[in-house]
Structure formats: structure tokens, C-alpha cells
Amino acid sequence: MAWNEPGGNGNNQDPWNSGGDRKGGGGGGKDQGPPDLDEALQKLQEKLNGIFGKKGGGGNSGGGSGPSSASTGGFFGVIALVVLIGWAAMGVYTVDQQERGVVLRLGKYYETVMPGLQWNPPLVDDVMTVNVTRVSAYEHRSLMLTEDENIVDVSMTVQYVVSDPVAFKLKVRDPEVSLGHASESALRHTVGSSEMNSILTEGREVVGDDVQLRLQGYMDDYETGLRITQVNIKEAKAPSQVQDAFDDVIKAREDEQRSMNQSESYRNGIIPEARGIAQRMKEEANGYRERVVAQADGDAQRFTALLTEYTKSPEVTRERLYLDAMEAVYANSSKVLVDVEGGNNMMYLPLDKLVENRPRASISSGGGSLNNSDLSTITDQVVEQLRQRQQSTGREAR
């Protein structure tokens, strides 16, 4: 029979009404209903009080504090524990390998944390992460006045990294704005100390190095925490209004340089050749000198030897010298030797000279050969010369 049906026994069988019977101990046996909610909250409060170092209350023996006050205290304890765990979990964070963490405790710099898993008290510490490996770039372009009072259009790119996270975050309000102003100042100072030709041609790299050195000095003085890694002069040209005239000037310079290179090439080719010819002439002159000197020395020695022999036997030496001289003379000329009757001399007939002196009409058309009349004429001339020589010889003998 159900507990709430009419006619049931007098005992209260309501499962939710077990407080009085359980505590009073009267009536039937043990109550088998569900546990009281207030009792469960009270036990939880006692455990929390034990965790936080508080002594638990003596149950319900105290007057004035009932189950409702215990239940309220336990609820707030649970909330406090949950809030504490959430607060602690909020302080866990990770710093990447390329980052550094700048920790502020109550608004004041506390420390710099390295990469890895970190924890700081939330709402007490403020952590700012800074990437110290990423290379950033800043570009600047403007018209500037050079040392020789010309205007150039210069475009520049500045590459930088963060070297000091604390200075980058705390020393300067906006380091990148300061970098822009300092870049323009350094570029103007360098360009203003250089001539236009060097900036437009081969001096760009020098300008970039000078700007980088000067700009890094500015960044160190301002304590921005930035390190300049590279300064590239991307473009340096004349203003667009006069660009055509500058192009003509540059083309003229290139033509001049090309002509100079061609002249230099010609000079490099002609000078060694001239030096070689001069050296050959010197060597030939030295050889000629050595030959002449040696020949003169030989002639002198031969003359000395002949003098010695002439002193010993003048007649024989004189005859030998005469024969050698005649041999040397006759060896290089066309000649005919004629044995003259009644004389003891061989007459020399220079036929080549006779042919040259005879009339041109006497030369035949057959290639210049002599005919009978030419031979007769030559014979008459030879006989006449022999007669004249004999007469002169006879006069000398008388």
C-alpha cells in the first residue's frame, strides 16, 4: 500500500520528512531516505575550512546559526576556490622562440623572460612580448640638395631588428616614428655632404654605408632598442622635370668612357709593338757595332801580320797583295781577258760597260743580242784602246 493512500498506518512514511524522526530517535527503525542537502553543504564547508586552515564548527550545537548559514558559507567557499583556480590559470602563457617577454609588476619593469612556458600573477604583472628576430623595413623617398647645389631624388630602404626589448617598449613612445625621422635626417646629412655625380653613379654604396653608420648612432642615442642591419639606396636620380637632360649627360659620359677605352686599347696595342721594333733596332745596331769592331780588329791584326811579312820579303808580299786585290775586283764584274801580241799583259775588257754605252739602235729585236757589226765596233774600240795604251807606255819609257 502506498504511503499516501488513505487507511495507511499512522507512521509518517514521507521520504522527504526524515529530519525529526532521525534526530529524535523515536518511532520506527532507521530512515532510508536521501541525505539532507544542508548536511551535505555543511560537510563540504568543513572540508574547505580544513583546507584553508580554519576549524570546523561543532555541528548544530551553536545557537543562532542554523543550516542556512552553513550552506551560505560553503557556497561562497566554492566560488572562492573556483575564482582562485581561474586566476592562477590566467597567469600561464608561452613565449615563442623568436620572442622575448618584458614583465611589468604593478606598472614597473620587473624582468625579461626567455622563450618557453612562463607564469606570472594576473592583474599584478603585465607581460609584453617582442619579436627580436623579425627583420622589418622602412622606406623613405624625398628630394635632397647635394654639396654642389644640385637636387636629386633619393629612395632608401632601412632594414632593422629589435635588439633591446626593454628599451623598445619602455624608453621611447614610438620607436618606429623616431626611426623615420632619424632616417631622413641621416640621409639628408650624407647627401648634403656628397656631390651629385657620385650619388648618381658609383657612390651609392658609400652613401648607404655612411647613412647606416650615422643612423645607428642616432638609434643608440635615442635608446630605441633598434639595430640597423642594412641600408639600401634603391634609386638615385635627377628630378623628373630635368630627367631628359640628365639622360643626355649620362649618355655623353658613357660615350666619352667608351672612346677612352678604345684609345686605351689602341695604346696598349701600339706601344708594345713600337717597343719591340725599337728593341730590335737596338739589337741590330749592337750587332752591327760588334761586327764592325770585330772586322776592324781583324783588319788591323791582318795588316800587322802583313807588315811583318812585308818586312821579311817585300817583293813576294807585294805581288801577293796585288793578286788578291785584282781577284776581289774581277770577281764581281763581267769581263773579257785579251792576250795582246807583243806584250806580257792580259787586257781587261768591261763588256757590260761597253754594251751600256753603245747606241740603242745597234740592239737587235731578238732580246738584246750582239750582231756582227756590233762585234766589229767593239773590236775596233778595243784595238784603239790598246794602241793608245801602248803609245802612252812608250812615252813613259822614253
Side-chain angles (χ1 to χ4, degrees):
M1 179 180 293
W3 64 269
N4 57 352
E5 290 183 357
N9 56 15
N11 295 333
N12 191 359
Q13 298 294 331
D14 187 357
W16 307 111
N17 189 13
S18 57
D21 293 339
R22 192 178 350 177
K23 294 178 181 179
K30 233 176 183 184
D31 189 3
Q32 300 297 327
D36 190 1
L37 181 60
D38 294 339
E39 185 178 356
L41 291 176
Q42 184 176 1
K43 290 180 179 181
L44 178 61
Q45 183 179 8
E46 292 176 356
K47 291 180 179 180
L48 292 176
N49 291 335
I51 292 174
F52 291 103
K54 296 180 180 180
K55 294 182 178 180
N60 294 331
S61 60
S65 292
S68 61
S69 63
S71 131
T72 303
F75 177 74
F76 283 111
V78 172
I79 293 177
L81 179 61
V82 172
V83 170
L84 179 63
I85 295 174
W87 175 81
M90 290 173 60
V92 178
Y93 63 95
T94 302
V95 179
D96 293 338
Q97 185 64 35
Q98 67 271 16
E99 295 179 341
R100 300 293 183 269
V102 179
V103 180
L104 302 179
R105 177 158 293 177
L106 300 177
K108 186 178 180 180
Y109 172 72
Y110 178 67
E111 65 177 348
T112 301
V113 296
M114 303 302 290
L117 185 64
Q118 305 290 340
W119 182 86
N120 285 90
L123 305 178
V124 177
D125 290 354
D126 186 13
V127 181
M128 298 177 291
T129 58
V130 181
N131 193 315
V132 296
T133 61
R134 183 178 64 246
V135 178
S136 303
Y138 169 77
E139 295 186 359
H140 177 73
R141 181 171 187 170
S142 62
L143 297 174
M144 298 186 180
L145 189 66
T146 63
E147 184 181 15
D148 51 357
E149 298 182 355
N150 290 309
I151 297 177
V152 293
D153 187 2
V154 182
S155 177
M156 176 183 67
T157 300
V158 178
Q159 298 178 356
Y160 62 94
V161 296
V162 178
S163 60
D164 188 352
V166 177
F168 180 76
K169 284 294 185 180
L170 304 179
K171 295 296 183 65
V172 181
R173 177 175 298 176
D174 196 341
E176 294 179 348
V177 174
S178 301
L179 174 65
H181 295 164
S183 299
E184 182 175 2
S185 175
L187 182 60
R188 288 189 180 277
H189 188 282
T190 303
V191 172
S193 303
S194 306
E195 294 183 356
M196 182 188 64
N197 291 335
S198 63
I199 297 174
L200 297 180
T201 54
E202 71 277 359
R204 292 187 184 180
E205 185 176 355
V206 178
V207 172
D209 295 340
D210 193 5
V211 171
Q212 179 177 354
L213 183 62
R214 188 176 300 277
L215 183 57
Q216 185 63 59
Y218 291 163
M219 295 295 98
D220 295 340
D221 294 339
Y222 297 161
E223 295 184 353
T224 59
L226 299 178
R227 180 171 60 86
I228 309 301
T229 60
Q230 184 94 26
V231 174
N232 296 322
I233 305 299
K234 296 174 57 178
E235 187 179 15
K237 62 180 182 179
S240 59
Q241 295 83 355
V242 294
Q243 185 62 42
D244 295 338
F246 271 84
D247 292 341
D248 294 338
V249 173
I250 294 175
K251 184 177 180 180
R253 287 201 184 101
E254 292 176 352
D255 294 340
E256 178 187 7
Q257 188 64 34
R258 183 174 62 253
S259 299
M260 292 175 62
N261 293 336
Q262 292 176 355
S263 302
E264 187 71 18
S265 177
Y266 176 75
R267 184 179 72 88
N268 293 335
I270 210 68
I271 289 179
E273 183 179 358
R275 287 175 179 171
I277 294 174
Q279 187 65 28
R280 187 179 69 241
M281 294 176 66
K282 289 181 179 179
E283 296 297 334
E284 291 177 353
N286 291 332
Y288 176 76
R289 181 189 63 184
E290 297 295 334
R291 180 172 59 84
V292 170
V293 171
Q295 185 176 359
D297 291 340
D299 292 342
Q301 294 176 4
R302 185 173 64 253
F303 180 79
T304 303
L306 289 174
L307 179 60
T308 303
E309 297 298 328
Y310 182 80
T311 305
K312 294 178 181 179
S313 54
E315 295 295 335
V316 176
T317 305
R318 185 185 302 112
E319 183 67 21
R320 182 55 184 267
L321 292 175
Y322 174 77
L323 294 176
D324 291 342
M326 294 304 294
E327 181 181 1
V329 171
Y330 290 155
N332 296 323
S333 61
S334 300
K335 51 197 170 293
V336 175
L337 297 178
V338 180
D339 187 8
V340 181
E341 295 180 2
N344 56 357
N345 294 326
M346 299 291 290
M347 301 303 298
Y348 165 69
L349 298 179
L351 294 181
D352 52 347
K353 299 298 181 182
L354 293 175
V355 173
E356 291 178 0
N357 294 331
R358 69 188 178 88
R360 298 181 60 88
S362 64
I363 301 176
S364 65
S365 60
S369 60
L370 298 176
N371 51 25
N372 294 330
S373 61
D374 294 333
L375 291 176
S376 299
T377 304
I378 293 173
T379 302
D380 294 340
Q381 292 177 0
V382 170
V383 172
E384 182 66 25
Q385 289 180 2
L386 291 175
R387 186 183 295 112
Q388 292 176 1
R389 181 172 296 181
Q390 288 177 355
Q391 292 176 358
S392 62
T393 302
R395 287 194 298 269
E396 291 176 359
R398 288 196 297 271

